[in-house]
Tab-separated table of all heavy atoms in Angstrom:
chain	number	residue	atom	x	y	z
A	967	SER	N	116.790	109.094	106.418
A	967	SER	CA	115.613	108.312	106.500
A	967	SER	C	115.695	107.263	107.602
A	967	SER	O	114.621	107.114	108.357
A	967	SER	CB	115.382	107.557	105.116
A	967	SER	OG	114.279	106.717	105.184
A	968	GLY	N	116.841	106.651	107.857
A	968	GLY	CA	116.936	105.605	108.866
A	968	GLY	C	116.766	106.213	110.223
A	968	GLY	O	116.132	105.667	111.107
A	969	LEU	N	117.423	107.346	110.470
A	969	LEU	CA	117.316	108.004	111.829
A	969	LEU	C	115.924	108.478	112.049
A	969	LEU	O	115.382	108.478	113.176
A	969	LEU	CB	118.305	109.184	111.877
A	969	LEU	CG	119.815	108.760	111.892
A	969	LEU	CD1	120.644	110.003	112.092
A	969	LEU	CD2	120.089	107.805	113.031
A	970	SER	N	115.239	108.995	110.987
A	970	SER	CA	113.882	109.459	111.142
A	970	SER	C	112.962	108.334	111.454
A	970	SER	O	112.015	108.492	112.271
A	970	SER	CB	113.396	110.132	109.821
A	970	SER	OG	112.130	110.581	109.936
A	971	SER	N	113.139	107.146	110.889
A	971	SER	CA	112.340	105.995	111.195
A	971	SER	C	112.532	105.600	112.596
A	971	SER	O	111.635	105.240	113.364
A	971	SER	CB	112.712	104.813	110.240
A	971	SER	OG	112.373	105.080	108.969
A	972	PHE	N	113.771	105.555	113.066
A	972	PHE	CA	114.174	105.336	114.466
A	972	PHE	C	113.404	106.296	115.376
A	972	PHE	O	112.742	105.807	116.404
A	972	PHE	CB	115.675	105.548	114.650
A	972	PHE	CG	116.139	105.301	116.087
A	972	PHE	CD1	116.499	104.072	116.532
A	972	PHE	CD2	116.210	106.357	116.968
A	972	PHE	CE1	116.837	103.831	117.851
A	972	PHE	CE2	116.627	106.220	118.283
A	972	PHE	CZ	116.967	104.872	118.744
A	973	MET	N	113.370	107.547	115.135
A	973	MET	CA	112.648	108.554	115.941
A	973	MET	C	111.132	108.343	115.900
A	973	MET	O	110.443	108.704	116.906
A	973	MET	CB	113.080	109.929	115.654
A	973	MET	CG	114.495	110.315	116.043
A	973	MET	SD	114.766	110.144	117.920
A	973	MET	CE	113.475	111.226	118.493
A	974	THR	N	110.616	107.890	114.815
A	974	THR	CA	109.131	107.797	114.628
A	974	THR	C	108.616	106.788	115.622
A	974	THR	O	107.401	106.787	116.011
A	974	THR	CB	108.782	107.397	113.191
A	974	THR	OG1	109.254	108.428	112.256
A	974	THR	CG2	107.291	107.160	113.014
A	975	MET	N	109.460	105.791	116.123
A	975	MET	CA	108.987	104.832	117.114
A	975	MET	C	108.885	105.461	118.468
A	975	MET	O	108.258	104.852	119.405
A	975	MET	CB	110.041	103.668	117.177
A	975	MET	CG	110.076	102.765	115.890
A	975	MET	SD	108.600	101.903	115.607
A	975	MET	CE	108.568	100.736	116.923
A	976	PHE	N	109.466	106.600	118.634
A	976	PHE	CA	109.465	107.216	120.047
A	976	PHE	C	108.201	108.077	120.229
A	976	PHE	O	107.623	108.571	119.330
A	976	PHE	CB	110.781	108.135	120.203
A	976	PHE	CG	111.947	107.410	120.584
A	976	PHE	CD1	112.690	106.709	119.666
A	976	PHE	CD2	112.404	107.466	121.887
A	976	PHE	CE1	113.785	106.044	120.031
A	976	PHE	CE2	113.537	106.839	122.270
A	976	PHE	CZ	114.301	106.070	121.305
A	977	SER	N	107.877	108.299	121.529
A	977	SER	CA	106.898	109.123	121.963
A	977	SER	C	107.117	109.453	123.472
A	977	SER	O	108.070	108.811	124.035
A	977	SER	CB	105.519	108.664	121.714
A	977	SER	OG	105.209	107.610	122.572
A	978	ALA	N	106.244	110.096	124.103
A	978	ALA	CA	106.316	110.304	125.555
A	978	ALA	C	106.221	108.966	126.279
A	978	ALA	O	106.794	108.707	127.296
A	978	ALA	CB	105.214	111.226	126.048
A	979	GLY	N	105.494	108.033	125.627
A	979	GLY	CA	105.442	106.721	126.146
A	979	GLY	C	106.668	105.907	126.297
A	979	GLY	O	106.833	105.091	127.146
A	980	THR	N	107.708	106.366	125.482
A	980	THR	CA	108.944	105.691	125.542
A	980	THR	C	109.591	105.958	126.945
A	980	THR	O	110.131	105.021	127.468
A	980	THR	CB	109.901	106.299	124.451
A	980	THR	OG1	109.310	106.119	123.209
A	980	THR	CG2	111.277	105.617	124.515
A	981	PHE	N	109.415	107.063	127.422
A	981	PHE	CA	109.931	107.392	128.766
A	981	PHE	C	109.009	106.967	129.830
A	981	PHE	O	109.484	106.524	130.857
A	981	PHE	CB	110.209	108.944	128.841
A	981	PHE	CG	111.193	109.453	127.818
A	981	PHE	CD1	110.705	110.001	126.640
A	981	PHE	CD2	112.480	109.356	127.975
A	981	PHE	CE1	111.610	110.439	125.675
A	981	PHE	CE2	113.481	109.742	127.094
A	981	PHE	CZ	112.932	110.326	125.941
A	982	VAL	N	107.702	107.194	129.666
A	982	VAL	CA	106.780	106.850	130.753
A	982	VAL	C	106.485	105.374	130.838
A	982	VAL	O	106.716	104.740	131.845
A	982	VAL	CB	105.472	107.560	130.569
A	982	VAL	CG1	104.457	107.231	131.584
A	982	VAL	CG2	105.659	109.124	130.576
A	983	VAL	N	106.082	104.792	129.665
A	983	VAL	CA	105.731	103.328	129.682
A	983	VAL	C	106.917	102.458	129.730
A	983	VAL	O	107.025	101.632	130.723
A	983	VAL	CB	104.864	103.048	128.425
A	983	VAL	CG1	104.547	101.544	128.400
A	983	VAL	CG2	103.562	103.824	128.426
A	984	TRP	N	107.879	102.593	128.826
A	984	TRP	CA	109.025	101.743	128.787
A	984	TRP	C	109.917	101.999	130.026
A	984	TRP	O	110.537	101.105	130.553
A	984	TRP	CB	109.739	101.808	127.516
A	984	TRP	CG	108.998	101.267	126.325
A	984	TRP	CD1	108.484	101.935	125.224
A	984	TRP	CD2	108.512	99.927	126.198
A	984	TRP	NE1	107.825	101.111	124.481
A	984	TRP	CE2	107.790	99.833	125.037
A	984	TRP	CE3	108.632	98.812	126.984
A	984	TRP	CZ2	107.219	98.688	124.548
A	984	TRP	CZ3	108.043	97.605	126.484
A	984	TRP	CH2	107.354	97.554	125.351
A	985	GLY	N	110.023	103.271	130.344
A	985	GLY	CA	110.792	103.610	131.579
A	985	GLY	C	110.205	102.885	132.807
A	985	GLY	O	110.933	102.344	133.643
A	986	GLY	N	108.832	102.959	132.907
A	986	GLY	CA	108.209	102.194	133.929
A	986	GLY	C	108.429	100.785	133.993
A	986	GLY	O	108.596	100.099	135.029
A	987	ILE	N	108.314	100.164	132.788
A	987	ILE	CA	108.655	98.682	132.695
A	987	ILE	C	109.994	98.360	133.128
A	987	ILE	O	110.267	97.363	133.802
A	987	ILE	CB	108.250	98.118	131.308
A	987	ILE	CG1	106.679	98.315	130.976
A	987	ILE	CG2	108.722	96.764	131.103
A	987	ILE	CD1	106.297	97.975	129.580
A	988	ALA	N	110.947	99.156	132.672
A	988	ALA	CA	112.376	98.950	133.022
A	988	ALA	C	112.540	99.027	134.558
A	988	ALA	O	113.243	98.201	135.131
A	988	ALA	CB	113.245	99.915	132.265
A	989	TYR	N	111.915	100.109	135.128
A	989	TYR	CA	112.137	100.258	136.592
A	989	TYR	C	111.511	99.148	137.368
A	989	TYR	O	112.083	98.629	138.365
A	989	TYR	CB	111.387	101.572	136.931
A	989	TYR	CG	111.415	101.903	138.411
A	989	TYR	CD1	112.407	102.618	138.997
A	989	TYR	CD2	110.400	101.493	139.241
A	989	TYR	CE1	112.408	102.884	140.371
A	989	TYR	CE2	110.321	101.740	140.606
A	989	TYR	CZ	111.377	102.460	141.183
A	989	TYR	OH	111.341	102.730	142.539
A	990	GLU	N	110.413	98.581	136.844
A	990	GLU	CA	109.630	97.530	137.612
A	990	GLU	C	110.124	96.197	137.348
A	990	GLU	O	110.260	95.414	138.226
A	990	GLU	CB	108.115	97.745	137.244
A	990	GLU	CG	107.212	96.866	138.149
A	990	GLU	CD	105.715	97.235	137.869
A	990	GLU	OE1	105.450	97.970	136.963
A	990	GLU	OE2	104.884	96.638	138.593
A	991	HIS	N	110.418	95.836	136.098
A	991	HIS	CA	110.774	94.501	135.653
A	991	HIS	C	112.224	94.320	135.253
A	991	HIS	O	112.609	93.109	135.246
A	991	HIS	CB	109.838	94.055	134.458
A	991	HIS	CG	108.397	94.027	134.785
A	991	HIS	ND1	107.838	93.102	135.524
A	991	HIS	CD2	107.441	94.897	134.490
A	991	HIS	CE1	106.461	93.270	135.692
A	991	HIS	NE2	106.221	94.443	135.043
Side-chain angles (χ1 to χ4, degrees):
S967 176
L969 293 181
S970 181
S971 295
F972 177 88
M973 285 303 301
T974 299
M975 293 294 290
F976 276 77
S977 71
T980 302
F981 299 96
V982 177
V983 176
W984 292 117
I987 293 173
Y989 177 89
E990 192 171 5
H991 296 284

